[in-house]
Amino acid sequence: MYSYPKYGSKGTSSSSGSTGAQKSRERKVAPQVVVKTEDPGAPFRKASSYEMDYSNHYIHTGHYPTQVIRNVNFQTDGYPKLQKLKDLKEAQVERHATKPFGAKVQTDQMISVLNKWASQGLQFDVIMIGALVENQFIVEILNLLPLFKLCAKPGFVFIWATTANIKQLTTLLNGERWNKKFRRSEELVFVPVDDTSEYFKPGVNDGSHRGEGNGNNESLLGRKQWHCWMCITGTARRSTDTDLIHCNVDTDLQIEPQGGARVNHNDAVPETFYKVVENFSNSTRRLHIVPCHTGYKHPVRVRPGWVVMLPDVILDNFDIEAYEQELHSKSYVKFRNTSMNGHQKLVPQYLVAQTSEIETLRPKSPN
Amino acid sequence: MSIDDSLARFLALAQFFLKDKEALLEEPYRGNVGVIWALFANFCKEHGFSLIVVTGAASFVLLLEEFNDVSGTALILKTNESPEQTKIEWINVANIEILKNRLTSDSAFEESQVAVDCSSQSEVKPVFQSLFQILDGPLRTEIESSRKINGFDYDYSRLWDALTEPTAMVQLGKARAELTSTKKPYFEVCENKHHIHVITNTFFNSKTLGLSNEIPSNARVTKLLAAAQHMIDKEVLECIRTKIHFLPLITNYTDVNLGNCSYLDTCHKLKNCRYVHYFTMCPPLQPNTKETEKQVVAMEYTIGECHDSSTRKPLPPQWINCDVRNLPFSILGKFAAIISDPAWDIHMALPYGTCKDTELLSLPMQELQDEGIICLWVTGRSIEIGRKALGQWGYTVSDEVIWIKTNQLNRTIVTGRTGHWLNHSKEHLLVGVKGNPIWLNRKIDVDFIVSGTRETLRKPDELYEIVERIVGKHARKLEIFGRDNNIRPGWVSMYGTGRFCSFHLLQTIY
Ligand SMILES: [Zn+2]
Ligand SMILES: [Zn+2]
């Protein structure tokens, strides 16, 4: 027992061995003081003698704590059913994917092109914005994008962000223009396993400097995260809208495999994130907008099932008519009854058809 | 150097243009032949080309045209009727360089021979190599400075390296953290399938363990290992002594084809769960692998730490168990760091009291800190409220730390419907800074923690030491909304929304 005087101890009383009756009396005359002689945390700490401290290991060896994670290269290790599900879904997604489309558009032209698309009635169910490269004009573009028109309801938007611009994006999402039409629903994160990663170069988005414009401070820790916000517009119910979405197939954390860009593709958006999106949304209309040059070191590859818009995409074949033809021939089209401004309307939905095997294997959501 | 007099004028011109290069195109010459001819005449005088006589712009233009013939049009000229008005628009320095080398080198003809041969295989390769080298290089234009000054002139890559180099404070802070922090035991996980095979064949199987589906005790496994020791070869035994092995528990209930249990060692239905569970066989803790306290007598680098940090003992744990909402915060003094793990009022039935968002926002947190950091655990839905709260209490968010949750087998949690839309393999911690604490030790750790899950809501202990490394070991540190298992030396803990009050505080406020 420590022999220091105590604070606020007007009625310093009783020992640790107070009886139940005493305790209930004390309750009424709170704040009464009970002096404990034992450290209540001791047994908890003792029990954890085998838990290793990988942050401590990092301090002493420089090895990232992520290096000890054993399923970095094969995420579903030990879960054959989940892997089977992912394989089956991948095959279905491929079967119903449009051919890859690219739209080579300069950053300053993007808004007008997208406005044109929106005015021609083009809509997407999934829109990804940005990539893991610096110098993006994400906030500027988002401020002007006709996103609400371009995005189907329900629709899903994935926005790439660094820790530095989270505050800006939060303001934007809750601001007048977006008017809370998009709700941030998940935050996906990408981290490296070692410091050879091309996505986490020193001096790039690493919080070494105060960004007054972003309202963020100089960081206290080494910044090793890319964030991808998943936002939802419209209503999607995870238990009943299973033709539209499959929940809980993937997780909100992706780790860059060992060796970084030297052994892996150094795409501006790692392939694993496209897969997360494809596994989650069963719709076939997918758009990826990258509002900056990414260079040949971090290329954005065109991908079956996606329309990719960026200034230096190699393929420039986008044409609304050709795209809609592709959609109709590849998708499983289903009409959905929705009421718009009081009028009942049949809206076509372009979907990836599902199989009964997928239906059995997929995680089910409660109502 | 001997050179035909007839060629001397070309050498003179080459040297002249190489001296100032593109500068001749800029102010005050602007490529104006009417000005440059005089410069050249002067140059010839100074550099011993006395035989060359240039008398005016007209003869200079003729000379330049001749020069263009031999140099492969190294100069782009904008001719004018009046030679005075003729302009040099571009100087191809590379061509002039080549010409100069030819004129001054004895082996000029051999070189040209090689140049012609470059179509042959052996010569093509280096070209490709050099092209690929260029492609692999940094995505920046590198300008070689002709000036031999050891500054940053034009050398952007050097400037970039200097800018991105960790500051001395970061480097010293890291080195100090390594020197002064205890090195905790660390064991690798054995990935050798053969070892697992040997172990399950010799002593860890349903024959030796029985068919009851329960995790055997460490003592029991140690005994079984001792009994089977003679059947296991040296290499495997050595590995058992140094690495962790995950041994599958296979009983008559288990269906191996189903794969691993999502909950593994936290499975509640272990008795009749048909998925595979594991026993973690750790190497025995030898006395020398125990935490070795480093004896550092003194440290010359004292920024961000107490001067007597190495000799000072941490304060014993202090705690207050009370309803945090009713406690006058002002009696606690000020803290350098606060960790807070509020029980967010999310719409879930949880077995403990939750705190309403408004109640949390109305806490007088500003009384606890003038300058320092706060770490606030948030869940998906409370991130926004957390940000708002930090702003309201006077903090700027500096970091978003994630805790990557791992399971018994050191894998991320990928199954089990842990999130609403996607599974959740991580939790978020907002870190905010208040005031201008220049004494913080920055960038010693990275912004993620990898640690196993424990009881529901229990957060990883790694955070305490990360915070200690940031604010200094002996700074005053507070945990608010802790649970009683969180109390620890050097920290003040406030926990409980409960009915019982208990108190243990030291009087001295450091
Ligand atoms: Zn082994
Ligand atoms: Zn189980």
Side-chain angles (χ1 to χ4, degrees):
Chain A
M1 177 170 171
Y2 305 111
S3 55
Y4 301 91
K6 293 115 207 135
Y7 275 110
S9 51
K10 260 187 219 156
T12 311
S13 73
S14 57
S15 66
S16 54
S18 51
T19 64
Q22 269 174 315
K23 272 184 180 162
S24 62
R25 192 154 37 82
E26 280 163 13
R27 207 192 309 164
K28 286 171 198 137
V29 285
Q32 266 283 14
V33 174
V34 177
V35 182
K36 286 202 183 178
T37 50
E38 261 175 57
D39 167 0
F44 296 98
R45 284 199 301 276
K46 208 181 283 173
S48 60
S49 63
Y50 262 117
E51 280 161 15
M52 280 180 284
D53 183 333
Y54 304 122
S55 299
N56 179 281
H57 189 61
Y58 169 69
I59 293 297
H60 289 278
T61 62
H63 294 151
Y64 284 1
T66 33
Q67 236 165 48
V68 302
I69 297 176
R70 295 172 64 229
N71 61 338
V72 166
N73 292 327
F74 180 35
Q75 210 181 51
T76 53
D77 200 358
Y79 298 103
K81 282 202 301 188
L82 183 59
Q83 187 51 46
K84 182 88 199 284
L85 171 67
K86 288 192 182 189
D87 291 344
L88 289 170
K89 280 188 66 96
E90 189 174 344
Q92 281 308 107
V93 167
E94 203 184 310
R95 195 161 298 148
H96 293 277
T98 61
K99 69 176 187 194
F101 281 96
K104 196 181 175 90
V105 181
Q106 294 304 315
T107 311
D108 55 351
Q109 298 299 312
M110 283 185 174
I111 301 296
S112 68
V113 172
L114 289 171
N115 265 321
K116 205 179 93 194
W117 288 6
S119 67
Q120 285 174 276
L122 196 60
Q123 280 201 324
F124 294 91
D125 306 283
V126 166
I127 302 176
M128 191 190 281
I129 303 163
L132 286 75
V133 290
E134 56 164 344
N135 293 333
Q136 301 185 79
F137 300 98
I138 292 272
V139 176
E140 291 80 351
I141 283 275
L142 287 180
N143 251 321
L144 301 166
L145 264 189
L147 206 54
F148 194 65
K149 262 167 90 184
L150 204 62
C151 192
K153 322 273 162 323
F156 305 94
V157 176
F158 293 81
I159 306 170
W160 283 99
T162 60
T163 312
N165 51 29
I166 285 177
K167 188 177 175 179
Q168 276 180 306
L169 285 179
T170 310
T171 318
L172 179 77
L173 231 68
N174 298 324
E176 230 166 74
R177 182 167 174 90
W178 284 44
N179 200 16
K180 301 191 174 169
K181 279 172 182 156
F182 293 87
R183 304 179 304 283
R184 195 178 72 154
S185 47
E186 295 284 359
E187 188 158 346
L188 284 80
V189 168
F190 184 66
V191 290
V193 286
D194 57 37
D195 48 19
T196 63
S197 177
E198 282 283 320
Y199 299 108
F200 302 91
K201 294 204 133 187
V204 181
N205 299 322
D206 69 349
S208 291
H209 310 285
R210 234 170 239 263
E212 302 292 351
N214 298 341
N216 70 297
N217 229 325
E218 198 183 330
S219 74
L220 297 174
L221 301 158
R223 274 193 191 151
K224 300 289 168 197
Q225 292 173 36
W226 276 98
H227 297 252
C228 181
W229 287 14
M230 175 176 141
C231 303
I232 297 186
T233 185
T235 357
R237 268 168 251 106
R238 54 186 189 144
S239 52
T240 50
D241 290 332
T242 54
D243 50 342
L244 298 180
I245 51 170
H246 280 172
C247 293
N248 302 105
V249 177
D250 282 291
T251 130
D252 60 354
L253 174 79
Q254 304 295 322
I255 305 171
E256 184 183 15
Q258 204 106 34
R262 279 179 287 115
V263 291
N264 308 296
H265 290 301
N266 45 358
D267 299 9
V269 170
E271 196 192 8
T272 170
F273 284 94
Y274 291 111
K275 287 190 174 167
V276 170
V277 173
E278 289 161 355
N279 283 340
F280 173 71
S281 166
N282 295 329
S283 301
T284 51
R285 299 179 299 180
R286 311 182 192 97
L287 171 67
H288 186 192
I289 306 167
V290 185
C292 68
H293 289 276
T294 60
Y296 53 81
K297 287 223 147 182
H298 293 291
V300 181
R301 288 165 214 272
V302 291
R303 186 177 173 85
W306 289 76
V307 177
V308 175
M309 173 187 274
L310 90 148
D312 41 22
V313 68
I314 299 162
L315 188 69
D316 187 17
N317 64 341
F318 187 78
D319 167 76
I320 293 185
E321 240 168 73
Y323 180 61
E324 292 199 323
Q325 254 169 32
E326 271 284 306
L327 268 181
H328 274 277
S329 64
K330 296 287 173 61
S331 310
Y332 160 59
V333 184
K334 205 175 146 182
F335 287 88
R336 178 174 152 132
N337 218 337
T338 50
S339 63
M340 270 172 81
N341 311 325
H343 298 286
Q344 287 293 309
K345 206 178 153 191
L346 276 181
V347 177
Q349 283 178 316
Y350 302 86
L351 300 170
V352 173
Q354 302 300 327
T355 65
S356 58
E357 207 179 357
I358 290 177
E359 186 54 31
T360 343
L361 284 170
R362 73 170 180 86
K364 312 290 187 301
S365 306
N367 284 315
Chain B
M1 184 183 81
S2 70
I3 184 160
D4 196 319
D5 284 348
S6 63
L7 294 176
R9 59 185 189 280
F10 298 129
L11 184 62
L13 273 168
Q15 285 181 358
F16 172 71
F17 283 115
L18 287 176
K19 184 169 151 274
D20 292 323
K21 298 179 185 165
E22 289 90 344
L24 290 169
L25 307 178
E26 287 160 22
E27 295 291 352
Y29 317 112
R30 307 170 96 180
N32 227 326
V33 169
V35 181
I36 292 171
W37 81 262
L39 273 184
F40 180 65
N42 205 29
F43 176 86
C44 290
K45 249 182 250 162
E46 278 176 11
H47 291 80
F49 296 103
S50 45
L51 292 172
I52 304 164
V53 185
V54 185
T55 50
S59 63
F60 188 55
V61 169
L62 288 178
L63 197 57
L64 289 182
E65 277 163 1
E66 231 180 335
F67 181 70
N68 261 351
D69 286 343
V70 296
S71 66
T73 324
L75 306 169
I76 308 290
L77 298 173
K78 192 182 175 194
T79 46
N80 192 292
E81 275 172 39
S82 143
E84 292 279 341
Q85 302 287 315
T86 301
K87 266 192 156 183
I88 303 172
E89 291 204 306
W90 182 244
I91 299 171
N92 188 338
V93 176
N95 277 22
I96 301 177
E97 203 90 58
I98 292 165
L99 178 68
K100 192 195 126 196
N101 284 342
R102 293 259 179 96
L103 292 171
T104 53
S105 153
D106 295 330
S107 55
F109 288 100
E110 280 168 43
E111 274 179 28
S112 70
Q113 202 64 31
V114 171
V116 171
D117 267 2
C118 75
S119 58
S120 71
Q121 267 303 347
S122 59
E123 295 301 324
V124 170
K125 218 174 158 195
V127 176
F128 268 109
Q129 269 171 3
S130 69
L131 281 176
F132 275 112
Q133 256 171 19
I134 293 166
L135 280 173
D136 288 336
L139 236 189
R140 285 187 295 274
T141 313
E142 313 242 355
I143 302 167
E144 285 270 335
S145 171
S146 58
R147 284 173 262 181
K148 292 278 174 281
I149 308 164
N150 291 327
F152 285 124
D153 288 28
Y154 301 115
D155 195 347
Y156 294 122
S157 80
R158 240 183 94 202
L159 184 59
W160 179 251
D161 289 346
L163 281 172
T164 54
E165 175 93 345
T167 61
M169 210 170 153
V170 169
Q171 290 179 31
L172 286 165
K174 275 195 165 180
R176 179 175 60 194
E178 190 187 338
L179 275 173
T180 56
S181 72
T182 312
K183 187 169 181 173
K184 297 189 187 169
Y186 172 81
F187 303 107
E188 272 176 53
V189 173
C190 171
E191 300 287 357
N192 191 325
K193 289 208 170 75
H194 172 67
H195 291 185
I196 308 295
H197 192 72
V198 168
I199 294 169
T200 51
N201 271 347
T202 50
F203 70 93
F204 197 92
N205 50 48
S206 57
K207 267 190 212 133
T208 59
L209 294 166
L211 289 169
S212 71
N213 204 351
E214 60 186 29
I215 308 245
S217 69
N218 275 323
R220 180 132 183 256
V221 176
T222 313
K223 233 180 244 170
L224 287 171
L225 168 64
Q229 213 158 1
H230 61 281
M231 295 189 287
I232 304 167
D233 65 61
K234 248 186 167 171
E235 185 210 324
V236 181
L237 280 176
E238 181 54 31
C239 191
I240 292 173
R241 261 192 286 277
T242 50
K243 290 187 183 175
I244 295 171
H245 293 78
F246 294 115
L247 310 175
L249 284 163
I250 311 289
T251 67
N252 49 349
Y253 273 112
T254 320
D255 180 351
V256 184
N257 296 324
L258 291 175
N260 295 346
C261 174
S262 291
Y263 309 101
L264 293 168
D265 57 348
T266 59
C267 181
H268 290 304
K269 292 182 254 170
L270 196 61
K271 282 242 153 24
N272 39 27
C273 180
R274 299 178 61 225
Y275 291 86
V276 182
H277 302 81
Y278 292 83
F279 173 78
T280 307
M281 188 164 69
C282 292
L285 259 189
Q286 275 132 24
N288 55 354
T289 60
K290 278 229 169 117
E291 302 191 1
T292 39
E293 198 72 53
K294 284 216 179 132
Q295 287 301 313
V296 178
V297 182
M299 187 63 69
E300 282 180 344
Y301 179 64
T302 56
I303 296 173
E305 268 291 0
C306 298
H307 64 287
D308 59 349
S309 179
S310 48
T311 51
R312 201 157 159 181
K313 289 268 168 293
L315 291 175
Q318 305 174 68
W319 67 84
I320 307 164
N321 183 358
C322 68
D323 189 331
V324 170
R325 291 166 289 186
N326 300 336
L327 187 82
F329 282 8
S330 53
I331 64 161
L332 295 167
K334 305 285 180 187
F335 294 89
I338 300 174
I339 292 182
S340 174
D341 182 14
W344 294 100
D345 183 24
I346 41 178
H347 309 290
M348 255 202 278
L350 289 172
Y352 55 90
T354 55
C355 186
K356 292 255 180 304
D357 300 342
T358 45
E359 278 179 331
L360 187 82
L361 283 165
S362 61
L363 285 177
M365 296 294 284
Q366 61 281 357
E367 288 175 24
L368 293 172
Q369 240 175 0
D370 290 332
E371 190 175 76
I373 67 165
I374 191 167
C375 302
L376 183 68
W377 285 103
V378 287
T379 55
R381 287 152 191 244
S382 64
I383 288 187
E384 301 299 329
I385 309 162
R387 286 179 181 287
K388 203 172 140 196
L390 289 191
Q392 198 168 315
W393 297 332
Y395 295 89
T396 311
V397 177
S398 62
D399 298 79
E400 290 229 353
V401 177
I402 56 165
W403 163 29
I404 299 171
K405 295 161 131 181
T406 51
N407 63 20
Q408 183 195 4
L409 304 179
N410 274 18
R411 291 179 178 142
T412 55
I413 292 156
V414 295
T415 58
R417 246 185 43 228
T418 45
H420 193 84
W421 307 101
L422 299 172
N423 283 332
H424 289 177
S425 305
K426 57 170 170 55
E427 288 200 24
H428 289 242
L429 174 81
L430 299 176
V431 182
V433 177
K434 187 175 177 183
N436 184 25
I438 51 166
W439 40 271
L440 294 176
N441 300 303
R442 291 171 188 270
K443 290 186 183 274
I444 292 175
D445 284 272
V446 290
D447 61 354
F448 55 79
I449 297 169
V450 174
S451 184
T453 50
R454 299 183 290 180
E455 307 93 86
T456 319
L457 296 170
R458 186 117 181 248
K459 300 301 188 294
D461 289 342
E462 282 83 343
L463 180 63
Y464 296 107
E465 279 170 41
I466 291 174
V467 167
E468 281 169 20
R469 288 192 276 269
I470 296 172
V471 297
K473 204 175 174 189
H474 299 285
R476 290 195 82 225
K477 301 169 293 282
L478 171 77
E479 172 156 24
I480 179 168
F481 301 114
R483 272 156 276 277
D484 58 359
N485 50 31
N486 292 135
I487 80 160
R488 55 173 45 234
W491 289 75
V492 180
S493 311
M494 286 205 279
Y495 57 89
T497 47
R499 300 167 287 177
F500 303 111
C501 283
S502 70
F503 223 163
H504 182 96
L505 281 181
L506 309 181
Q507 187 168 37
T508 332
I509 290 179
Y510 289 91

